[in-house]
Amino acid sequence: MWTSRSLERGVNHEVLSNFMKVCGKEECHGFSGSLYPETLLWMDGMTQTKKQKLPDLKYMRRHSVRKKDQCAALVVGHYCHDQITLHGGETVYSLGGSVSYITNVFEALGIGSRVASKVGPDFLYCSQITHPPEVIEDQKTTEFFADFTQGEERILKAGSICAPIDSMDIPEMDYELGLAVGIACEILPETLQHMVDVARYVVVDVQALIRTIDPETGLVGLRNLDETPFIDMLEDIHFLKAARNEALYIDIEKVRQKTCLIVTEGKNGSRIYSNDREFRIPAFPAIEVDPTGAGDSFLAGFSAGLYQGLPIEQAVLMGNYFGGLAVAQVGIPHFTASQLESMDETRNGVRIEQFPYYSRTALCSN
């Protein structure tokens, strides 16, 4: 129950009510938690910075009215066929795509979601998913070949690529969270803009914005974020996630003034860069078997933490937890009941470092 003390600390009425809206019971099932004042103050500050207009609510309540046209999360990105050559030389074939890993975490936590994704009639894994994609008869399913035998960094190639996702492909309803998690340049600027319009808070994986695919070799590369049409949209999104190698293509000091940037650093954990704060969030010990999907599972855990009302740094810690679980398995991970039950206990007591803005730490430091 919110108290007068929470209000004295400056919690914005609109922000609280907006975050407290939950998904419609008939469309999806999920839950909402009570938001920490620190989370609301942070989001309120971001809102004031971006000058977003929120509904003028006359009163504040813990839960908003449930509506059939509301859902907890929208996940936009392609399913794909993955061929993975592991460090030892073994080749495995599995369902891939960020959307696969993210909805897997959401389902484990009981968070309802809707998916906008496209595949061809050759899609092999219909029996393994609960959120069916749109099947495009004259297209082939996106496919990737990941080779981990050549060193620390994988060599990633794309084969066939399915048609891009248009704004009209997004299910019409309101969402608390919108996750833009493209893997093969399938999210267009107008699609991301539509996500901004239908989702209250938008979380973006930077690979959806900066990936390139060589038309001759299929090699996957990266370009500077400043060179993309998405650079002018940063103020419209709330969280931008980047892997350590992807962060090299981002002007961190410029981006953090427009949105909250989260950089994942593998065994070194993650960093949060906002306009006035920086946090270092430690990783959890894990025996790495297959790093594929670690960043996606992180993003799902982080987003789930936001939806539950955790402070930003605790949501990132939750993301680290699921990222650690993901690398210990090949393909889409399975979470045991004991892993989910011990999640909060495992996170308790973890030391989170906070740095003042003027003591910025280089990405390569430990």
Side-chain angles (χ1 to χ4, degrees), residues 105-291:
V105 173
F106 283 172
E107 288 170 13
L109 294 173
I111 296 178
S113 61
R114 297 294 296 269
V115 163
S117 183
K118 292 180 178 179
V119 299
D122 61 334
F123 184 56
L124 299 174
Y125 301 104
C126 289
S127 62
Q128 297 185 24
I129 59 176
T130 56
H131 297 76
E134 180 182 359
V135 178
I136 310 299
E137 291 299 327
D138 63 347
Q139 295 282 311
K140 290 186 176 181
T141 300
T142 300
E143 60 182 352
F144 281 97
F145 308 90
D147 186 351
F148 289 96
T149 64
Q150 304 302 311
E152 288 189 12
E153 294 294 333
R154 67 180 176 180
I155 296 177
L156 187 63
K157 291 185 178 181
S160 55
I161 298 175
C162 202
I165 300 170
D166 299 317
S167 57
M168 294 183 297
D169 299 318
I170 294 176
E172 284 300 325
M173 57 176 56
D174 294 327
Y175 304 89
E176 288 299 313
L177 292 169
L179 282 73
V181 290
I183 55 174
C185 313
E186 70 267 32
I187 297 181
L188 308 173
E190 53 267 34
T191 307
L192 182 57
Q193 182 59 55
H194 187 66
M195 294 181 65
V196 170
D197 295 337
V198 299
R200 200 171 306 281
Y201 298 106
V202 178
V203 182
V204 178
D205 190 335
V206 78
Q207 74 174 14
L209 313 184
I210 66 173
R211 264 191 178 178
T212 61
I213 299 176
D214 188 290
E216 295 184 1
T217 65
L219 280 171
V220 176
L222 300 170
R223 57 177 173 167
N224 290 325
L225 182 58
D226 283 346
E227 300 172 359
T228 74
F230 299 100
I231 187 64
D232 295 327
M233 302 180 67
L234 293 183
E235 291 185 350
D236 293 328
I237 67 176
H238 298 84
F239 302 98
L240 182 68
K241 173 260 177 187
R244 182 174 179 172
N245 64 311
E246 294 166 340
L248 300 175
Y249 296 82
I250 297 173
D251 184 338
I252 292 179
E253 298 309 311
K254 178 180 177 180
V255 169
R256 70 188 297 176
Q257 299 303 318
K258 297 183 178 182
T259 188
C260 179
L261 174 65
I262 302 166
V263 178
T264 57
E265 301 179 325
K267 63 182 180 180
N268 293 323
S270 304
R271 293 182 187 269
I272 305 172
Y273 299 91
S274 68
N275 63 341
D276 62 349
R277 289 182 291 174
E278 180 179 329
F279 293 92
R280 179 179 176 181
I281 316 297
F284 293 92
I287 300 176
E288 182 176 300
V289 176
D290 176 15

Side-chain angles (χ1 to χ4, degrees), residues 67-83:
K67 297 180 180 179
K68 291 197 298 183
D69 59 348
Q70 290 180 334
C71 190
L74 165 69
V75 188
V76 181
H78 281 340
Y79 291 106
C80 71
H81 296 159
D82 274 352
Q83 177 180 316

